[in-house]
Amino acid sequence: GIQVEQSPPDLILQEGANSTLRCNFSDSVNNLQWFHQNPWGQLINLFYIPSGTKQNGRLSATTVATERYSLLYISSSQTTDSGVYFCAVFSGGSNYKLTFGKGTLLTVNP
Amino acid sequence: DADVTQTPRNRITKTGKRIMLECSQTKGHDRMYWYRQDPGLGLRLIYYSFDVKDINKGEISDGYSVSRQAQAKFSLSLESAIPNQTALYFCATSDNSPVTEAFFGQGTRLTVV
């Protein structure tokens, strides 16, 4: 099956810093999503982005499907950005299902 | 109200007990999924269902069973719970579009003692 790799596995920032999280995938995909898991365990949809660039406030994402990677940018980080960020891809043609990477644990210190 | 609702939110059960986790959705989606999350391993697919009559095993289905009672309901059962099934469980839904988006429930934190 498809492999989804995220980097870095851990990231520690000072409040106000910018960061880039990367997601590589091993095969073509129907779609790609970024999630934020908050300290209570809830998965929050950030972006669904099969290709191109999207922005939502301080967050933006870019997927280059032909090169099989996606990037999540966080600017002017805040302590509330802390948590685990997951990339997940839909693949498998008509039998598509969602495969997750192992996540990036982001800690933003005040 | 949440579009994807899981019950219970937290559960502690004993080894050997049967337990059912329930999921219901109001999004009108045909496809539903059960995932398990363990620390450091991300989310792994247990079972998925493309419609009421179609159920498929995911990568870690051993020790689990599912039932799709209706388009809106998909339950996960542990017939005889064991401690290494302690995890955070998520239900998700998506539509049939090739470029679809998945929506997740709030999660069920299960502890088997």
Side-chain angles (χ1 to χ4, degrees), chain B:
Chain B
D1 288 342
D3 294 321
V4 184
T5 303
Q6 293 183 230
T7 56
R9 295 291 309 279
N10 292 282
R11 180 74 180 265
I12 300 174
T13 192
K14 294 184 177 180
T15 298
K17 293 291 187 182
R18 183 180 187 274
I19 182 170
M20 178 182 291
L21 309 183
E22 299 187 348
C23 177
S24 63
Q25 51 113 347
T26 59
K27 298 195 72 68
H29 289 165
D30 284 327
R31 302 192 177 203
M32 298 187 73
Y33 313 79
W34 275 104
Y35 286 86
R36 164 179 173 159
Q37 184 181 12
D38 298 279
L41 294 180
L43 278 75
R44 294 180 292 164
L45 184 61
I46 306 173
Y47 271 95
Y48 58 106
S49 170
F50 287 167
D51 64 39
V52 175
K53 297 179 181 178
D54 181 79
I55 291 178
N56 305 278
K57 292 182 177 181
E59 57 181 308
I60 54 164
S61 59
D62 287 349
Y64 301 94
S65 62
V66 291
S67 174
R68 185 81 184 266
Q69 301 95 325
Q71 186 205 38
K73 296 184 182 296
F74 192 36
S75 59
L76 176 72
S77 293
L78 287 66
E79 296 301 326
S80 180
I82 56 177
N84 76 1
Q85 291 177 312
T86 294
L88 184 56
Y89 290 84
F90 286 98
C91 173
T93 74
S94 71
D95 64 22
N96 289 320
S97 165
V99 185
T100 190
E101 181 179 6
F103 296 86
F104 281 77
Q106 313 98 309
T108 295
R109 197 170 295 276
L110 176 67
T111 302
V112 183
V113 298

Side-chain angles (χ1 to χ4, degrees), chain A residues 30-31 33 37 41 45 96 98, chain B residues 35 37 95 97-98 100-102:
Chain A
N30 298 9
N31 198 2
Q33 287 185 249
Q37 187 169 40
N45 286 30
Y96 58 81
L98 197 61
Chain B
Y35 286 86
Q37 184 181 12
D95 64 22
S97 165
T100 190
E101 181 179 6

Side-chain angles (χ1 to χ4, degrees), chain A residues 4-16:
Chain A
V4 181
E5 295 184 356
Q6 292 186 242
S7 60
D10 301 278
L11 184 60
I12 300 175
L13 301 174
Q14 288 300 120
E15 201 167 25

Side-chain angles (χ1 to χ4, degrees), chain A residues 44-102:
Chain A
I44 310 299
N45 286 30
L46 296 177
F47 296 100
Y48 79 100
I49 180 168
S51 63
T53 298
K54 290 187 176 181
Q55 181 150 9
N56 184 2
R58 296 181 295 103
L59 274 61
S60 64
T62 295
T63 296
V64 184
T66 53
E67 297 186 19
R68 299 180 182 171
Y69 73 89
S70 183
L71 302 174
L72 178 68
Y73 305 96
I74 305 174
S75 64
S76 303
S77 58
Q78 301 175 357
T79 56
T80 52
D81 294 331
S82 296
V84 183
Y85 290 81
F86 288 106
C87 165
V89 300
F90 270 110
S91 65
S94 61
N95 291 330
Y96 58 81
K97 49 190 180 293
L98 197 61
T99 301
F100 280 78
K102 293 183 179 180

